[in-house]
Amino acid sequence: MFFQGLVLKAGAAFALILSLTSATPSDPKFRTKRQTLDFDYTNDKVRGVSLGGWFVLEPWITPSIFSEWADGGGVVDEYTFCQTLGYDEAFNRLNQHWSTFITEDDFNQIGAAGLNHVRIPIGYWAINPLEGDPYVQGQLTYLDQSIGWARNAGLKIMIDLHGAPGSQNGADNSGRAGAINWGTGDTIQQTLDTIRAISERYATDVSQDTVTAIQLLNEPRAPPIELDGDVGVKLFDYNGWGTVRDSDSATVVCIHDAFQGTEYWQGFMNQDSGVWDVMLDTHQYQVFTTQLLQLSAQEHVQTACDYGANNLRGLDKWTIVGEWSGAATDCAMWLNGLGKGASYDGSLAGTTYVGDCSRKNVGTVEGLSDSEKDNLSTFIQAQMDAYEQATGWIFWTWKTESAPEWNFQDLLANGLIPQPITSRQNPNQCGY
């Protein structure tokens, strides 16, 4: 949907006009821009991990939480988990999870590994619950606590709105699997209200030395979500930027590429458009198409290297690969959804066999074969080199219960993550 001349209000700060090709602020009345950030995103590289599965459940990250529904029963995500158990029981189980899955020791390990960022996914229901939702609250107690842990460990935090009202991608990682209803009804305004609540709590003098970035929305799926128009991602991004700016002038505002690629977003929300401190996030996984699954180990490496050279250089805004992993297969149990198999071994309905998922569907890094470990280490280091062609990277995810290709903590403990983090056991793989 294309249109001209639409003027909307973002907070109380400014008006926005969306043209045929992009949205730009007209007559901006912004706060004075802070001259320095608490992390130098221009000259230093982001090297981090996401704390996936902590405040937004994903069955493949913590299968023990979902094990009683492994053979059915209607629970497939956090929404149905809470709906089935009821508020009190869901809260008791989740509070136990929140208090134990990630602790201060995790932050200390992350900092000791030479990383400098943690990306913390959160659902709208944690800070802006909607009437009628079954979700439970209590996450913010632990999120608040984690800011001190990060500060003490020398880490910066990106708070990532991972689940939005209506679901922005229909995946279990949005909180509710199924239909994509973000953009309908009041869902966009409800999302902006959530961003405002996050900003008023965390883009403050108390937190801004550690909470350096807020991600407006993780992985909006376009299509079916629109990019342009009054219910499009672009206008939402501008309004979200203004909402954060109502609380702080320099907290980085991170936008997702909506699966359009980095080049699509050139010219959008760059400094020439009148906004500042905007970061683009793109996610790179080589496991979700048959073509990628069929690549050899060296072809996976080359694909990452080519991406760094062709898609991450010369960009007009800070850009991170905000999700990636060591996985060359989709073998991790329930990665494709609770109770679903893998494309790699043909156990997912409608797919054909590519290879064996033994040791990679459930297990540990130690249990992998020597060749699998070598391939993992080589692939990870190539991706680090590739993604540092732009602003840097954030690995998905810090820990899992049983998915070795995705478990940074376990990969680190078994020597597959370079230490120091800037060293390379396989240097110059990409030739740059």
Side-chain angles (χ1 to χ4, degrees):
M1 181 190 304
F2 296 95
F3 69 105
Q4 289 179 291
L6 177 67
V7 180
L8 295 181
K9 187 176 182 184
F14 61 98
L16 297 176
I17 297 177
L18 191 64
S19 71
L20 282 169
T21 57
S22 66
T24 59
S26 66
D27 188 26
K29 298 176 182 177
F30 304 132
R31 299 180 181 204
T32 302
K33 181 176 184 282
R34 214 166 63 220
Q35 295 303 305
T36 58
L37 292 166
D38 291 291
F39 184 86
D40 188 349
Y41 289 99
T42 299
N43 297 304
D44 295 333
K45 297 301 181 184
V46 172
R47 301 180 178 108
V49 288
S50 285
L51 303 184
W54 190 17
F55 297 135
V56 180
L57 295 182
E58 298 189 38
W60 71 273
I61 296 178
T62 54
S64 65
I65 292 177
F66 292 87
S67 59
E68 65 191 271
W69 300 285
D71 297 322
V75 173
V76 295
D77 51 28
E78 188 161 343
Y79 186 97
T80 50
F81 175 88
C82 296
Q83 185 179 56
T84 299
L85 292 177
Y87 193 98
D88 290 345
E89 180 61 20
F91 173 80
N92 289 338
R93 296 191 191 190
L94 287 178
N95 192 54
Q96 173 67 17
H97 166 68
W98 299 330
S99 67
T100 58
F101 186 63
I102 299 292
T103 68
E104 185 171 14
D105 182 58
D106 290 288
F107 282 79
N108 290 338
Q109 290 182 50
I110 292 166
L115 303 179
N116 51 40
H117 277 71
V118 289
R119 177 173 175 258
I120 303 182
I122 194 166
Y124 74 89
W125 55 89
I127 196 165
N128 185 36
L130 301 178
E131 185 177 356
D133 278 349
Y135 297 114
V136 303
Q137 289 71 53
Q139 302 91 331
L140 298 187
T141 298
Y142 300 99
L143 180 56
D144 291 349
Q145 189 176 46
S146 75
I147 294 172
W149 295 345
R151 183 181 292 117
N152 292 338
L155 298 167
K156 305 303 181 184
I157 289 175
M158 173 188 288
I159 296 177
D160 152 43
L161 184 58
H162 217 70
S167 180
Q168 73 276 16
N169 53 38
D172 56 18
N173 61 57
S174 72
R176 189 174 190 180
I180 300 174
N181 289 318
W182 189 87
T184 65
D186 296 327
T187 54
I188 292 179
Q189 185 57 53
Q190 290 164 346
T191 306
L192 291 170
D193 291 343
T194 304
I195 294 298
R196 182 170 301 283
I198 292 172
S199 301
E200 289 177 348
R201 191 178 183 103
Y202 298 110
T204 66
D205 291 341
V206 174
S207 302
Q208 64 190 12
D209 67 312
T210 302
V211 180
T212 56
I214 293 173
Q215 183 158 20
L216 299 179
L217 187 61
N218 176 69
E219 293 187 346
R221 174 68 63 180
I225 287 175
E226 296 182 41
L227 293 168
D228 298 288
D230 57 350
V231 294
V233 171
K234 291 180 181 178
L235 188 57
F236 166 77
D237 285 342
Y238 265 111
N239 282 330
W241 183 91
T243 300
V244 175
R245 290 288 166 261
D246 283 345
S247 293
D248 180 68
S249 65
T251 298
V252 172
V253 174
C254 185
I255 62 174
H256 189 264
D257 72 354
F259 303 102
Q260 303 303 302
T262 56
E263 288 164 8
Y264 176 88
W265 298 96
Q266 296 307 287
F268 178 77
M269 293 188 80
N270 59 12
Q271 288 188 338
D272 292 339
S273 69
V275 300
W276 60 82
D277 295 342
V278 173
M279 176 182 289
L280 181 67
D281 173 22
T282 186
H283 296 171
Q284 295 299 309
Y285 293 123
Q286 295 188 29
V287 300
F288 292 120
T289 70
T290 300
Q291 182 180 8
L292 288 170
L293 289 173
Q294 291 174 338
L295 297 178
S296 67
Q298 183 53 45
E299 288 170 334
H300 279 292
V301 167
Q302 191 60 52
T303 298
C305 293
D306 290 347
Y307 184 81
N310 298 328
N311 300 92
L312 294 178
R313 291 175 171 172
L315 304 178
D316 66 358
K317 62 183 69 64
W318 298 320
T319 300
I320 61 168
V321 177
E323 288 190 21
W324 61 283
S325 79
T329 76
D330 67 337
C331 288
M333 186 178 72
W334 298 345
L335 180 65
N336 294 306
L338 196 152
K340 296 181 179 179
S343 297
Y344 191 73
D345 66 359
S347 60
L348 180 67
T351 64
T352 56
Y353 182 88
V354 176
D356 184 12
C357 277
S358 298
R359 299 180 299 277
K360 295 184 285 290
N361 58 339
V362 175
T364 63
V365 173
E366 185 179 14
L368 298 173
S369 69
D370 289 343
S371 64
E372 288 168 338
K373 292 177 185 176
D374 288 342
N375 289 338
L376 259 172
S377 177
T378 300
F379 186 33
I380 286 169
Q381 291 176 66
Q383 289 183 89
M384 289 178 174
D385 289 344
Y387 305 153
E388 290 188 15
Q389 297 303 295
T391 310
W393 48 264
I394 299 178
F395 187 96
W396 187 273
T397 183
W398 166 241
K399 64 164 58 170
T400 71
E401 289 181 344
S402 61
E405 295 180 298
W406 302 77
N407 189 332
F408 193 99
Q409 183 185 48
D410 199 17
L411 292 163
L412 177 67
N414 282 273
L416 274 62
I417 302 296
Q419 291 289 285
I421 200 69
T422 54
S423 67
R424 296 292 180 265
Q425 298 157 330
N426 306 94
N428 202 34
Q429 290 187 85
C430 293
Y432 48 70

